[in-house]
C-alpha cells in the first residue's frame, strides 16, 4: 500500500503496542527489534522497498506530538483510506486536497501512541 516513508520521528511509550499498530494494522515490516541499554529496545519498521527506516524510541520525557511527524506516501490516498478504515483504523481527517500543492491529497490518523500520521501522495 505505502510507497515510501517521507519523514519519521516518533516517540513512543509502549514499543510493543507501536509495533502491533504499524506492523499489523498498517502493514509495515519489522526490520529490527533488539535489546540495547537498560530495558530499551532498538526497533525499526520499514515500508517494503524503501531505504528509509522508522525508529521507534521509548522516550521518558517526551509526549507524542500534535503535528504529523510521520508522512507515509501512497499511490492513492483514497484507496489507502478505504483499506485502512476496513481494518478498523480511525482517521482524524479523511482524504482532502492539500492546500499547499496541486494534485496532492492527504489524510490524518493517530497511531497507538497518539502521534499524528499523515498518508499522502507525492
Amino acid at each position: 500500500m505505502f510507497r515510501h516513508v517521507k519523514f519519521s520521528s516518533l516517540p513512543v511509550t509502549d514499543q510493543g503496542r507501536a509495533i502491533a499498530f504499524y506492523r499489523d494494522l498498517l502493514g509495515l515490516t519489522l526490520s529490527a527489534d533488539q535489546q540495547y541499554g537498560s530495558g530499551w529496545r532498538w526497533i525499526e519498521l520499514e515500508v517494503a522497498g524503501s531505504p528509509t527506516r522508522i525508529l521507534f524510541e521509548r522516550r521518558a520525557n517526551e509526549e507524542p506530538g500534535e503535528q504529523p511527524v510521520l508522512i507515509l506516501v501512497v499511490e492513492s490516498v483514497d484507496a489507502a483510506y478505504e483499506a485502512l478504515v476496513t481494518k478498523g483504523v480511525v482517521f482524524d481527517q479523511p482524504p482532502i486536497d492539500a492546500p499547499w500543492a496541486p494534485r496532492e491529497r492527504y489524510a490524518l490518523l493517530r497511531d497507538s501512541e497518539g502521534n499524528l500520521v499523515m498518508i499522502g501522495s507525492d
Side-chain angles (χ1 to χ4, degrees):
M1 175 187 313
F2 300 106
R3 292 174 42 191
H4 61 85
V5 174
K6 198 167 190 175
F7 177 76
S8 67
S9 173
L10 295 175
V12 301
T13 55
D14 187 326
Q15 292 176 306
R17 185 173 61 202
I19 290 171
F21 180 85
Y22 284 92
R23 182 190 59 204
D24 302 341
L25 282 177
L26 298 189
L28 275 64
T29 301
L30 182 65
S31 57
D33 184 357
Q34 56 196 25
Q35 296 294 320
Y36 80 100
S38 177
W40 291 72
R41 292 159 60 193
W42 183 272
I43 297 170
E44 295 178 0
L45 283 97
E46 63 185 68
V47 172
S50 172
T52 305
R53 304 278 192 286
I54 304 164
L55 173 63
F56 294 94
E57 291 187 274
R58 188 183 71 183
R59 298 182 187 165
N61 298 325
E62 187 173 345
E63 293 297 320
E66 284 301 313
Q67 297 299 317
V69 293
L70 175 63
I71 301 171
L72 297 170
V73 177
V74 295
E75 186 69 35
S76 167
V77 173
D78 295 298
Y81 172 80
E82 293 299 327
L84 293 172
V85 166
T86 300
K87 287 183 166 185
V89 175
V90 177
F91 281 78
D92 282 20
Q93 172 67 61
I96 62 170
D97 292 329
W100 57 84
R103 298 185 310 269
E104 284 191 27
R105 290 179 63 73
Y106 74 95
L108 295 173
L109 61 105
R110 290 194 186 270
D111 70 8
S112 58
E113 299 293 312
N115 291 304
L116 279 172
V117 176
M118 178 187 286
I119 59 171
S121 57
D122 258 339

